[in-house]
Amino acid sequence: MLLTITYTGENAADLGYLLHKNPSRPQTAVSSFGKIHIFYPEISANRCTAALLLDIDPLDLARGKPGSAGGGLFDYVNDRPYVSSSFMSTAISRVYGTAMSGRCEMKQVLADSALDLSATLVMLPCRGDTAMLEKVFAPLGYKVEWESGLLDDSFPEWGDSCYVNLTIRGKVRLQDLLRHIYVLIPVFDYRKHYWIGDEEVDKLLAHGSGWLEKHPEKNFITRRYFSKFGHFTKQALKRLDRLDNGEGGAENPAAESPVTEEEEASIPVKIPRLNDQRLLAVLGELKASGAQSVLDLGCGEGNLLHLLMKTKDFTAIAGMDVSALMLSRAAGNLKFDRMTEEEKKRVTLFQSSLCYRDKRFKNYDAAAIVEVIEHLDENRLPALEAVIFADASPATVIITTPNADYNVNYTGLTANHFRHGDHRFEWNRVQFRAWADSAATRHDYSVRYEDIGEQDANQNTPTQMAVFRKNTRQKTTAPEAAESAA
Ligand code: SAH
């Protein structure tokens, strides 16, 4: 991803002072998500361009480094390494943090002056919002130009791609230009690579104060900046309104001391992924159940199996999936080829289907079915129910599935669409509980429910989990008899 900033004016190379980056020395900063190169492709008396090139290794992302998505194929096939996203915003504040604060001892007057500046951002994901480019940047005093290409030259009927190369030109202070870009990239891309915590509101206020509170698209910008975290949007809008009314400045110390390079570098970029939260919740339930043997049904690439193997409580572990490809990936991820004979006795992988009775499902203490039921056609669920509860019948069954109530928080997800292309249905809490309650009753299990993941303002979480326990028959021995026998 590339951001270029061009200054046109007398002694244009002074841009180097303002950015605190020497024009004659290309530099590279290493961040947790990739390399940030800074160099000047153009320096003349009247024009100087600084380029920030962000080089993210797509494989690093896929290997679970910050920015990887929910796991699976998406981590390998996605646009993250190639587009202007929150990675770029973080890179900007990392390498241009001092410039964003407006400090420049050598050229303070220049730093405080509105200059002829332009900035070009390459590959900004816009997702059909190109009309918003003008509405968002023009009120800040910029002339806005953007170009886009066909999604696929061979299929012109598919229309334009959702990525644009954006250029904004205006007479602005460099610190303002940087703060605008920092805030507005994730507004268009709206997929932050890091965990959004309470400090994110302070950060927006720090970089947005002085312009955002008066912006006609303040609501749009704030909502999109926080994407699915609606409660932060509300907090931020309240504080922006107070700023607009001339109140509340003191309540926002960050606005008075813009985030510095050092502070920005300490922003946590490690993401507790929903996937991880879910697997840890399932692992916790399995441990609490006292199970020693566990069957992971629809094990996918083996993420839960990996955790199970690291836990001594489990003496027999099996992973089953309908897909041979998934099983071979699981075998690779779990390093089956390097397992000792002893380890091989503890862990097995096999191909089967949840919809057909299979002797191999029997004799496990617990079964986990994590994010699988929604991949089956709803009319196959009675078969699954018979196979798991009636036939295999382990003491504990744990099932997780998306909570459709939470989908309103996914800005990119329109009504009647699912989170994943292969999902056949997504249930809200009432629907999931209705199915699970009746399955439990039919097969003499009891069931309780847990929420997994970030809770939104309406108390929804992205994942819901049912923990089934087989009801044990009342012992015939009376308690008194047991006591006297003891
Ligand atoms: N449990 C894993 C994978 C979830 S993705 C995890 O949480 O990471 C859904 C998985 O269910 C896929 O691997 C898919 O191959 C598997 N699957 C779909 N239908 C199935 C069926 N009928 N029987 C067994 N597995 C199935």
Side-chain angles (χ1 to χ4, degrees), residues 70 275 278-279 296-304 320-323 326 352-355 368-376 400 422:
N275 230 10
R278 187 187 300 123
L279 294 178
D296 182 10
L297 297 160
C299 63
E301 297 177 336
N303 294 327
L304 179 62
M320 178 283 269
D321 204 285
V322 78
S323 152
M326 286 298 163
S352 188
S353 166
L354 273 162
C355 303
I369 308 175
V370 180
E371 303 298 284
V372 179
I373 58 168
E374 63 278 5
H375 290 266
L376 307 181
T400 76
D422 188 47

Side-chain angles (χ1 to χ4, degrees), residues 111-143:
D112 293 339
S113 311
L115 308 174
D116 277 325
L117 293 171
S118 71
T120 298
L121 265 171
V122 173
M123 293 284 276
L124 177 68
C126 259
R127 308 190 207 289
D129 277 334
T130 45
M132 288 314 292
L133 289 169
E134 184 74 25
K135 287 193 184 160
V136 164
F137 284 98
L140 299 169
Y142 296 107
K143 203 165 158 285

Side-chain angles (χ1 to χ4, degrees), residues 271-343:
I271 322 161
R273 303 186 303 168
L274 175 60
N275 230 10
D276 295 341
Q277 293 183 45
R278 187 187 300 123
L279 294 178
L280 289 173
V282 172
L283 180 70
E285 291 294 345
L286 288 170
K287 280 190 193 168
S289 75
Q292 294 190 330
S293 52
V294 179
L295 180 57
D296 182 10
L297 297 160
C299 63
E301 297 177 336
N303 294 327
L304 179 62
L305 296 173
H306 179 66
L307 290 179
L308 296 174
M309 283 166 66
K310 289 202 295 192
T311 311
K312 292 210 175 65
D313 309 29
F314 308 118
T315 49
I317 300 164
M320 178 283 269
D321 204 285
V322 78
S323 152
L325 178 67
M326 286 298 163
L327 288 167
S328 73
R329 283 204 191 138
N333 292 338
L334 301 173
K335 308 207 167 40
F336 257 57
D337 53 339
R338 282 190 246 153
M339 272 187 196
T340 61
E341 285 310 310
E342 200 60 31
E343 284 168 331

Side-chain angles (χ1 to χ4, degrees), residues 130 146-151 159-165:
T130 45
W146 53 269
E147 58 180 30
S148 163
L150 284 177
L151 181 64
D160 281 346
S161 103
C162 63
Y163 305 97
V164 301
N165 294 339

Side-chain angles (χ1 to χ4, degrees), residues 146-220:
W146 53 269
E147 58 180 30
S148 163
L150 284 177
L151 181 64
D152 189 319
D153 291 341
S154 326
F155 300 96
E157 64 276 18
W158 290 357
D160 281 346
S161 103
C162 63
Y163 305 97
V164 301
N165 294 339
L166 170 73
T167 300
I168 52 174
R169 290 172 218 283
K171 209 163 172 70
V172 286
R173 294 185 305 178
L174 178 66
Q175 61 162 302
D176 294 329
L177 175 81
L178 291 171
R179 290 160 78 216
H180 295 153
I181 296 173
Y182 174 91
V183 169
L184 295 172
I185 290 175
V187 165
F188 284 93
D189 179 52
Y190 66 80
R191 264 184 42 202
K192 289 230 173 73
H193 67 279
Y194 53 87
W195 184 248
I196 297 184
D198 290 323
E199 71 283 353
E200 196 71 6
V201 178
D202 289 336
K203 236 191 326 160
L204 177 68
L205 271 280
H207 294 300
S209 71
W211 60 274
L212 183 54
E213 65 271 22
K214 295 186 171 47
H215 198 294
E217 294 296 342
K218 173 173 72 179
N219 288 347
F220 170 83

